[in-house]
């Protein structure tokens, strides 16, 4: 019996050394087996250093009990206390693996395998393991010898002698030696079969890739040939018997357990196909019938047993097919879908614990690396490694993966594989599920060196690495760049000068010589930048060629690259950030406006990536966000001119964002098809540009007021949007149609207030038009009372007096789209209250007013259409154009707005929908007008995007006309179809207009 004081002291020490059941541990230490060393501090320290001290102590006592006698027991204990290497190895294994503790209990002298290591044994290869298995002559002795070798591998693992890559490679080498030994046993049992055939065992999967787990199926493929003149059918049957026997030797379970299942289901036709085929049969299958995943599996093929020469012939024969797999139709999509199916088939209850197959798991790393290998390995033989970490290192060295991304993936993969190995080592069971039991998690955490709070640290590190893998997997595995590279013809993934010239001509570049100069400037040299450009350019050239002006796309790309060449994030963005490269290619080759905006501030290219840079991707920003940013810039500026320059800079950037979003939405990409709802696209563009214009005016107003009057202008001041501005329908080339209204503050005379208001307007117009790198914003106030001859600014009372006495019907019609956009909100609201009775007259319009509106419309059609223009193709004033639709809708608003609240909107499409809902127009006619208005608006936007200047009719230049066609969704060679479609839409709309507007 132990004394109470001594017992308490031992109890405390055991807790301090990591024992979770000190009472049980104390009883074991008091056992006969450990009596004379129980107080040795060396033993307690060594136990406390293991993954599970309780398990290690129990395993040690069981091992001592199993020794053949007291002499053997004392020999083990004395060696354990005296030799630290043995102590660390043996106790380390016992504390990490209950299964290997059971093996040592059954074979108590196997501990001697851990006593010494010769230098050659530190990292033994296949031959060393073969020597360890040499005495095995039957399945049972092979299992025992296999576990003895596994014991030494586990000892090196838990003691940190090997890292995870070396550990996995040793396991693969042991598997190779075991397959050879099992085949030798099978051959000795059937010498006639062995003499009749050549049989090669080709390892696949993790064994083939030198990265095996402790417990894993060993995937193999068998290749058989007849020896000399032997009958081929008989030889294949003999080879099949040998292969089947070898598989049973490894897979069957006895009292010693099994080694591991040998899985041949990766063979042609899977489990339905013959187990053994000839080399020619394998080649024929892969040439004609193999699926994409089967070529992916062949990445790791490696001859390991049997006739190695025949196995090498198999790998050599199939290697060219593997590196052509990326040229198969839908290759990347097939691989991606296969990965998705794997995730979808995980039971819902296990997804969060699935270390291998779940999102952010090991398979994500492996699939991403293998896909990159298959795509780029066609032209770069340095990527053709079957080992995941070696392949990842090669991808980083070649510039296919960013260095930082590669380091993060490497670290995550090593951690997850180590975690998987320690889970499997405990029971030597094939599992990839993280256990839910806290004791199991504690053991795993401690085995990985997490000692402060093993469970919490393990889960934190696991989730962190899984998150990294998930993010980088999506970034690398799904980036559209891969799909485009995969579709290139053989040899095109790297460009020689001649190949580039041929490809440029074939792709329709008008000036291949100039294009080649651009390529040389971009891709020549041995720098990492040039290497990445060489990876990007073959794909970009194809995307440029998919536009109406590939030469312009390439030229613009060179300009952007020259401007951002020394910026570290630029090429990394294009290579890694989702659709950034394709988005940039679309934007640079779609016309002049977007590239011109980008060239003025190339850093805006960051908006094209998934992260979106400043402000978040291509989604247009809202009015509130824009105004906050602009007003903040105004506050920081030293004077009004600097403030408005900053506001115009924001406007330029946001115009680029909107244009880029419009182009991508109209053209579509591999990851984002062209937007089907063209009306939504038009609304988004119009709303974005209108919000941006309003925010710019608000910032400019604030800057001008602050410059001359500090915080308080002597008069309230509001800006009223008119026309397309008020209707939230501005295009890229639209001026800002506005009215200016003011109201003197109490105690301020009208002259002072009027002078201040006029000075504000004058200064705003000046600052917004100062020549600079940013596009000007033109303010048009011609819709004011009395037009150009009337004062620029009026008081609210002046507007009221004018509209009461002098207002004409066209002015009431113009006010339909009046909406406050900046300045004093209360004054703007009161202006709206003032004009509502004018634009929505009680009881509607009289017949005289309707006739006047019709007369004005007819006069405008005859007088304002440009000379020489084809009326049928004029998007604004031509039959069925914007003017036709808008005047028709506005007539309905003025006639029925007083009774139908839905018509009281400044937006054309909203008013048209409200008229349809109120049954003022049939659904069919409303759809006809809406379609025509949307198409005409898109034509105007397209012309501005393509030409860089506003226009209401289709361009005459062939390339520009083709570019407008591409924007509108018409493929090359279908310009005629585009014009016919426009005429047809306009003609149908004109029919509705003549009926509804003219009453014909």
């Amino acid at each position: 019996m132990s004394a109470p004081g001594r017992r308490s002291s031992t109890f405390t020490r055991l807790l301090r050394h990591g024992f979770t059941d000190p009472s049980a541990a104390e009883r074991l230490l008091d056992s006969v087996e450990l009596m004379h060393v129980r107080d040795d501090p060396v033993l307690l320290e060594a136990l406390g250093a293991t993954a599970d001290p309780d398990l290690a102590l129990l395993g040690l006592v069981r091992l001592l009990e199993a020794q053949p006698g007291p002499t053997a027991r004392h020999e083990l204990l004395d060696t354990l206390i005296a030799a630290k290497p043995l102590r660390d190895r043996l106790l380390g294994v016992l504390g990490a693996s209950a299964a290997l503790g059971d093996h040592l209990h059954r074979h108590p002298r196997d501990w001697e395998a851990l006593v010494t290591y010769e230098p050659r044994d530190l990292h033994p290869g296949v031959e060393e393991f073969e020597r360890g298995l040499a005495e095995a002559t039957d399945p049972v002795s092979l299992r025992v010898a296999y576990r003895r070798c596994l014991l030494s591998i586990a000892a090196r693992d838990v003691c940190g002698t090997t890292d995870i890559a070396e550990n996995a490679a040793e396991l693969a080498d042991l598997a190779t030696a075991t397959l050879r030994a099992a085949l030798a046993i099978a051959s000795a049992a059937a010498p006639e079969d062995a003499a009749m055939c050549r049989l090669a065992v080709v390892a696949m999967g993790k064994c083939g890739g030198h990265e095996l787990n402790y417990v894993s199926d060993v995937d193999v493929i068998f290749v058989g040939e007849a020896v000399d003149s032997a009958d081929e059918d008989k030889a294949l049957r003999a080879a099949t018997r040998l292969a089947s026997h070898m598989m049973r030797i490894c897979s069957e379970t006895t009292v010693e357990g099994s080694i591991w299942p040998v899985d041949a289901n990766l063979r042609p036709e899977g489990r339905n196909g013959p187990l053994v085929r000839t080399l020619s049969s394998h080649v024929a299958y892969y040439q004609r019938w193999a699926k994409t995943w089967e070529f992916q599996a062949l990445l790791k093929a490696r001859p390991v047993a049997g006739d190695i020469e025949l196995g090498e012939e198999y790998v050599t024969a199939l290697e060219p097919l593997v590196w052509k797999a990326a040229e198969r139709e839908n290759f990347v999509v097939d691989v991606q879908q296969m990965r998705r199916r794997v995730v979808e088939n995980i039971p819902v209850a296990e997804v969060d614990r699935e270390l291998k197959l779940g999102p952010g798991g090991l398979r994500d790393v492996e699939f991403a690396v293998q896909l990159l290998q298959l795509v780029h390995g066609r032209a770069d033989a340095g990527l053709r490694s079957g080992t995941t970490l070696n392949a990842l290192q090669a991808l980083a060295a070649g510039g296919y993966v960013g260095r930082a991304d590669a380091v993060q993936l490497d670290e995550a993969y090593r951690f997850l594989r180590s975690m998987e190995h320690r889970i499997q080592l405990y029971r030597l069971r094939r599992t990839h599920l993280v256990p839910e039991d806290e004791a199991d998690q504690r053991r795993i955490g401690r085995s990985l060196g997490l000692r402060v709070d093993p469970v919490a640290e393990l889960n934190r590190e696991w989730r962190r690495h899984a998150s990294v893998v998930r993010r980088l997997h999506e970034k690398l595995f799904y980036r559209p760049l891969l799909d485009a590279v995969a579709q290139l013809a053989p040899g095109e993934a790297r460009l020689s000068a001649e190949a580039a010239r041929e490809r440029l001509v074939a792709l329709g570049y008008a000036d291949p010589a100039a294009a080649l100069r651009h390529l040389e400037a971009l891709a020549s040299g041995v720098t990492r930048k040039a290497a990445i450009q060489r990876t990007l350019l073959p794909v970009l050239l194809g995307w440029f060629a998919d536009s109406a002006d590939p030469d312009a796309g390439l030229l613009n790309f060179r300009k952007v690259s020259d401007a951002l060449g020394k910026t570290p994030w630029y090429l990394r963005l294009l290579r890694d950030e989702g659709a950034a490269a394709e988005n940039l290619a679309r934007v640079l080759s779609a016309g002049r406006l977007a590239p011109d905006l980008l060239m003025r501030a190339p850093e805006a290219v960051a908006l094209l990536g998934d992260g979106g840079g400043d402000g978040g991707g291509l989604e247009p920003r809202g009015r509130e966000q824009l105004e906050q940013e602009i007003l903040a810039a105004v506050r920081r500026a030293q004077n009004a001119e600097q403030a408005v320059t900053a506001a115009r800079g924001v406007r330029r950037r946001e115009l680029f964002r909107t244009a880029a979003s419009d182009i991508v939405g109209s053209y579509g990409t591999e990851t984002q098809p062209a937007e089907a709802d063209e009306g939504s696209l038009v609304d988004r563009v119009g709303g974005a540009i209108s919000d941006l214009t309003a925010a710019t005016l608000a910032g400019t107003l604030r800057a001008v007021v602050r410059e001359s009057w500090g915080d308080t202008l002597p008069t309230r001041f509001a800006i009223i949007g008119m026309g397309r501005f008020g209707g939230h329908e501005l295009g890229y080339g639209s001026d800002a149609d506005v009215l200016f209204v003011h109201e003197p503050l109490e105690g301020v005379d009208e002259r002072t207030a009027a002078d201040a208001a006029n000075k504000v307007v004058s200064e705003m117009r000046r600052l917004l038009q100062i020549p600079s790198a940013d596009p000007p914003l033109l303010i048009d106030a011609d819709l004011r009372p009395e037009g150009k001859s009337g004062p620029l600014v009026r008081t609210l009372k002046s507007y009221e007096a004018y509209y009461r006495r002098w207002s004409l019907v066209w002015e009431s019609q113009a006010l339909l789209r009046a909406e406050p956009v900046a300045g004093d909100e209360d004054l703007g609201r009161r202006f709206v209250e003032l004009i509502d009775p004018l634009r929505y007259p009680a009881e509607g319009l009289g017949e005289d007013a309707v006739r006047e509106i019709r007369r004005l419309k007819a006069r405008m059609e005859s007088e304002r259409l440009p000379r020489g223009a084809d009326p049928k193709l004029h998007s604004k004033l031509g039959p069925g154009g914007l003017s036709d639709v808008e005047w028709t809708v506005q007539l309905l608003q003025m006639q029925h707005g007083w009774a139908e609240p839905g018509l009281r909107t400044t937006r054309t499409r909203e008013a048209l929908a409200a008229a349809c809902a109120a049954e003022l127009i049939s659904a069919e006619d409303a759809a006809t007008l809406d379609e025509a208005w949307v198409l005409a608006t898109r034509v105007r936007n397209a012309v501005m995007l393509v030409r860089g200047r506003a226009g209401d009719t289709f361009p005459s230049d062939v390339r520009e006309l083709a570019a407008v066609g591409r924007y509108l969704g018409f493929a090359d060679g279908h310009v005629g179809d585009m014009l016919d479609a426009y005429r047809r839409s306009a003609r149908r709309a004109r029919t509705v207009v003549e009926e509804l507007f003219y009453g014909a």
Side-chain angles (χ1 to χ4, degrees):
M1 294 284 294
S2 301
R6 178 172 165 273
R7 180 181 179 85
S8 174
S9 172
T10 302
F11 193 92
T12 302
R13 281 195 301 151
L14 291 172
L15 280 175
R16 189 170 66 248
H17 283 296
F19 289 86
T20 57
D21 190 350
S23 298
E26 190 170 14
R27 286 194 298 272
L28 290 173
L29 286 170
D30 284 339
S31 65
V32 173
E33 286 74 15
L34 291 176
M35 183 62 72
H36 76 283
V37 297
R38 67 175 314 287
D39 291 323
D40 193 312
V42 169
L43 178 63
L44 209 56
E45 289 287 343
L47 287 167
T50 64
D52 187 340
D54 300 89
L55 181 64
L57 177 57
L58 177 61
L60 177 60
V61 171
R62 293 181 68 219
L63 175 58
L64 289 167
E65 290 173 344
Q67 295 304 308
T71 302
R73 190 158 51 243
H74 284 108
E75 178 193 356
L76 170 56
L77 275 175
D78 291 344
T79 309
L80 191 71
I81 297 299
K84 185 178 188 303
L86 171 66
R87 189 166 62 246
D88 291 342
R89 295 167 195 148
L90 179 57
L91 296 182
V93 168
L94 291 174
S97 177
L100 289 177
D102 291 342
H103 171 82
L104 286 168
H105 186 257
R106 289 193 303 272
H107 304 279
R109 299 304 296 179
D110 275 5
W111 67 269
E112 294 173 357
L114 303 177
V115 173
T116 59
Y117 287 103
E118 298 297 329
R120 68 177 185 176
D121 295 331
L122 285 174
H123 303 294
V126 176
E127 293 75 14
E128 189 72 25
F129 286 126
E130 283 188 294
R131 283 192 287 272
L133 303 175
E135 296 180 1
T137 57
D138 59 75
V140 173
S141 61
L142 179 61
R143 288 175 178 78
V144 174
Y146 173 82
R147 287 292 175 94
R148 187 181 304 118
C149 292
L150 194 65
L151 186 67
S152 65
I153 292 176
R156 286 188 289 276
D157 179 16
V158 298
C159 291
T161 307
T162 55
D163 64 15
I164 184 61
E166 292 167 330
N167 176 234
E170 286 188 7
L171 289 167
D173 286 342
L174 176 56
T176 297
T178 305
L179 290 170
R180 292 177 182 177
L183 183 56
I185 294 172
S187 298
E192 301 84 0
D193 286 345
M196 190 183 302
C197 66
R198 301 170 65 195
L199 176 64
V201 184
V202 179
M204 307 286 283
K206 291 188 179 301
C207 184
H210 258 102
E211 49 189 19
L212 197 61
N213 296 333
Y214 276 106
V215 188
S216 176
D217 292 355
V218 173
D219 297 306
V220 299
I221 284 178
F222 296 106
V223 187
E225 296 286 352
V227 172
D228 299 328
S229 58
D231 180 87
E232 185 176 278
D233 289 340
K234 290 183 179 179
L236 285 178
R237 286 196 292 273
T240 301
R241 288 192 292 272
L242 286 175
S244 299
H245 192 185
M246 186 202 81
M247 293 173 69
R248 286 196 302 274
I249 290 170
C250 295
S251 305
E252 287 179 350
T253 302
T254 68
V255 66
E256 295 293 340
S258 66
I259 301 176
W260 18 248
V262 177
D263 189 343
N265 288 336
L266 290 179
R267 66 185 184 270
E269 300 179 76
R271 63 184 61 191
N272 297 320
L275 184 63
V276 183
R277 288 176 182 257
T278 62
L279 176 58
S280 59
S281 175
H282 275 287
V283 173
Y285 172 83
Y286 283 105
Q287 286 176 334
R288 297 186 62 188
W289 308 111
K291 297 181 175 64
T292 297
W293 70 264
E294 293 178 278
F295 292 105
Q296 186 178 355
L298 284 171
L299 266 175
K300 297 180 180 293
R302 179 173 63 92
V304 292
D307 193 315
I308 298 297
E309 183 180 349
L310 177 59
E312 295 287 2
E313 291 175 13
Y314 169 88
V315 171
T316 301
L318 293 181
E319 187 176 35
L321 300 180
V322 172
W323 300 110
K324 290 181 180 178
E327 297 160 18
R328 295 162 65 93
E329 186 176 359
N330 297 323
F331 162 73
V332 174
V333 174
D334 287 346
V335 177
Q336 292 171 348
Q337 288 177 344
M338 182 170 69
R339 174 65 188 123
R340 292 191 194 100
R341 284 195 295 271
V342 169
V343 175
E344 289 166 1
N345 288 332
I346 302 172
V348 175
E350 297 179 359
V351 169
D352 291 339
R353 297 193 295 126
E354 178 55 73
L355 195 64
K356 176 182 177 182
L357 303 178
L362 291 161
R363 188 57 58 86
D364 274 352
V365 181
E366 293 162 355
F367 263 63
V369 169
Q370 289 166 21
L371 181 58
L372 287 163
Q373 283 182 277
L374 289 169
V375 169
H376 297 297
R378 294 173 298 158
D380 190 343
L383 304 180
R384 300 178 184 181
S385 169
T387 306
T388 301
L389 291 177
N390 292 347
L392 179 59
Q393 185 178 14
L395 287 164
Y400 305 101
V401 175
R403 289 193 186 97
D405 290 346
V407 168
Q408 285 186 294
L409 271 183
D410 183 278
E411 290 176 353
Y413 187 72
R414 288 175 185 273
F415 180 86
L416 296 174
R417 284 299 304 275
S418 298
M419 194 172 166
E420 177 189 44
H421 276 213
R422 301 304 166 83
I423 291 170
Q424 293 184 348
L425 183 59
Y426 178 53
R427 292 289 184 191
L428 288 181
R429 291 176 181 167
R430 183 174 180 268
T431 179
H432 312 289
L433 290 178
V434 178
E436 295 178 295
D437 184 75
E438 186 172 312
D440 289 329
Q441 293 187 14
R442 180 177 184 272
R443 182 187 63 256
I444 296 165
R446 283 175 59 88
S447 76
L448 295 173
L450 309 174
R451 296 301 175 93
V452 177
D453 186 351
V455 175
E457 290 179 80
L458 176 70
N459 281 281
R460 184 167 57 251
E461 287 298 295
W462 169 32
R463 300 302 179 189
R464 180 176 70 84
H465 285 298
S467 175
V468 167
V469 170
R470 186 161 55 249
R471 176 176 59 82
L472 293 179
H473 167 79
E474 293 169 356
K475 179 176 177 179
L476 299 174
F477 189 66
Y478 289 100
R479 63 184 185 189
L481 179 61
L482 291 176
D483 199 13
V485 175
Q487 292 169 7
L488 297 177
E492 287 184 338
R494 283 290 185 271
L495 299 176
S496 68
E498 189 56 36
R501 183 183 296 276
E502 291 175 2
R503 186 159 195 257
L504 291 168
V505 172
L507 289 173
Y509 283 78
D511 190 351
L516 270 180
R517 288 194 297 273
H518 300 324
L519 293 179
E520 290 170 6
L522 290 164
S524 60
V526 294
T527 63
R528 183 174 177 82
K529 170 187 169 185
I532 297 175
Q533 287 281 23
R534 286 193 293 270
T535 301
L536 291 168
L537 280 167
V539 190
L540 290 168
L541 289 173
W543 283 327
F544 294 147
D546 191 36
S547 71
D549 195 350
D551 298 83
L554 180 56
L555 173 61
N556 289 332
F557 178 69
R558 180 181 175 183
K559 289 179 179 178
V560 173
S561 294
D562 288 345
L564 295 174
K566 295 182 180 180
T567 307
W569 54 262
Y570 168 60
L571 290 176
R572 188 167 65 242
L573 170 82
L574 299 187
R575 183 190 61 200
D576 298 339
E577 283 290 334
E582 186 173 1
N583 288 343
L584 179 62
R586 298 299 183 203
V587 167
L588 293 180
S589 56
R592 296 179 184 174
L593 178 64
D596 285 350
L597 291 169
L598 182 59
M599 297 309 171
R600 295 174 183 182
E603 65 276 4
V605 75
L607 299 174
L608 300 171
D610 293 337
D614 180 28
L618 293 181
E619 187 64 29
R621 301 170 72 195
R623 165 74 184 273
E624 185 176 347
Q625 281 182 293
L626 294 168
E627 194 163 312
Q628 285 178 352
E629 180 180 1
I630 288 174
L631 291 178
V634 168
R635 283 194 298 272
R636 292 191 298 268
Q638 296 180 355
N639 54 54
E641 189 165 325
Q642 286 185 5
V644 176
T645 298
R648 290 175 64 181
V650 173
R651 178 172 177 265
R652 180 249 312 131
R653 184 196 69 211
E654 295 303 319
L655 278 175
F656 171 75
R657 190 199 303 269
T658 302
S661 174
D662 188 11
I663 290 166
V664 171
S666 298
Y667 279 67
T669 66
E670 291 295 328
T671 57
Q672 179 180 329
E675 193 161 323
D677 186 356
E678 295 175 350
S680 295
L681 194 58
V682 164
D683 290 344
R684 188 161 70 236
V685 170
I689 298 175
S690 300
D691 284 344
L692 178 57
T693 301
T696 304
L697 290 178
T700 303
L701 175 60
R702 177 73 60 85
V704 169
V705 171
R706 191 184 67 169
E707 176 92 343
S708 298
W709 294 278
D711 294 330
T712 306
L713 187 68
T715 184
R716 295 183 181 87
F717 187 89
I719 304 174
I720 311 298
M722 300 289 286
R724 294 191 172 281
F725 186 16
H728 295 255
E729 297 162 357
L730 284 179
Y732 298 107
S734 299
D735 297 343
D737 288 317
V738 297
L739 299 178
F740 297 108
V741 57
H742 78 104
E743 184 178 67
L745 295 178
E746 188 174 348
V748 176
D749 66 86
E750 291 197 5
R751 170 58 62 186
T752 300
D755 289 345
N758 278 285
K759 183 178 179 180
V760 166
V761 172
S762 175
E763 190 65 4
M764 284 182 66
R765 298 178 81 175
R766 183 185 73 82
L767 292 173
L768 288 170
Q769 297 179 51
I770 292 176
S772 74
D774 300 313
L777 175 57
L778 301 179
I779 295 177
D780 187 341
D782 288 353
L783 291 177
R784 65 186 183 271
E786 302 178 73
K788 293 181 180 180
S789 59
L792 269 176
V793 188
R794 288 177 180 262
T795 63
L796 186 63
K797 290 182 178 179
S798 176
Y799 277 108
E800 181 182 11
Y802 175 86
Y803 287 137
R804 185 176 64 249
R805 298 183 61 189
W806 310 108
S807 177
L808 301 176
V809 68
W810 73 264
E811 291 178 297
S812 297
Q813 183 182 351
L815 290 171
L816 284 169
R817 308 182 84 176
E819 181 174 287
V821 294
D824 189 291
E825 293 182 4
D826 178 67
L827 181 59
R829 178 185 55 77
R830 286 187 284 129
F831 180 86
V832 169
E833 292 173 352
L834 167 66
I835 64 173
D836 273 350
L838 291 171
R839 52 185 180 177
Y840 311 123
E843 306 301 327
L845 291 176
E847 291 185 7
D848 290 344
V850 172
R851 278 196 299 271
E852 177 63 15
I853 290 174
R854 289 171 177 167
R855 186 186 66 79
L856 287 171
K857 176 71 170 67
R859 178 182 170 189
M860 184 177 68
E861 289 175 8
S862 63
E863 295 180 359
R864 294 181 58 186
L865 195 70
R867 183 176 298 178
D870 182 352
K872 295 180 180 179
L873 293 176
H874 199 280
S875 62
K876 181 178 181 180
L877 301 176
L882 292 170
S883 178
D884 265 5
V885 176
E886 289 166 359
W887 281 61
T888 301
V889 171
Q890 289 162 12
L891 181 60
L892 291 173
Q893 287 181 282
M894 297 182 75
Q895 287 178 315
H896 304 282
W898 65 279
E900 296 290 343
L903 290 172
R904 299 172 202 163
T905 174
T906 62
R907 293 165 167 82
T908 301
R909 297 188 70 217
E910 277 190 15
L912 182 57
C916 181
E919 299 183 353
L920 301 174
I921 181 175
S922 70
E924 182 181 357
D925 286 349
T928 298
L929 293 181
D930 186 73
E931 177 187 334
W933 188 88
V934 167
L935 179 55
T937 301
R938 297 200 73 218
V939 168
R940 296 183 87 204
N941 283 342
V943 170
M944 184 65 187
L945 285 170
V946 169
R947 302 178 68 194
R949 60 181 187 273
D952 294 316
T953 191
F954 291 90
S956 56
D957 179 84
V958 174
R959 279 190 178 261
E960 291 179 348
L961 187 61
V964 170
R966 292 303 310 277
Y967 173 87
L968 295 177
F970 292 87
D972 288 340
H974 290 268
V975 167
D977 294 339
M978 171 186 67
L979 298 178
D980 287 344
Y982 180 83
R983 291 188 186 101
R984 183 168 54 253
S985 173
R987 185 169 59 249
R988 292 173 57 209
R990 181 65 179 192
T991 300
V992 175
V993 169
E994 287 178 349
E995 179 182 347
L996 291 178
F997 184 82
Y998 288 109

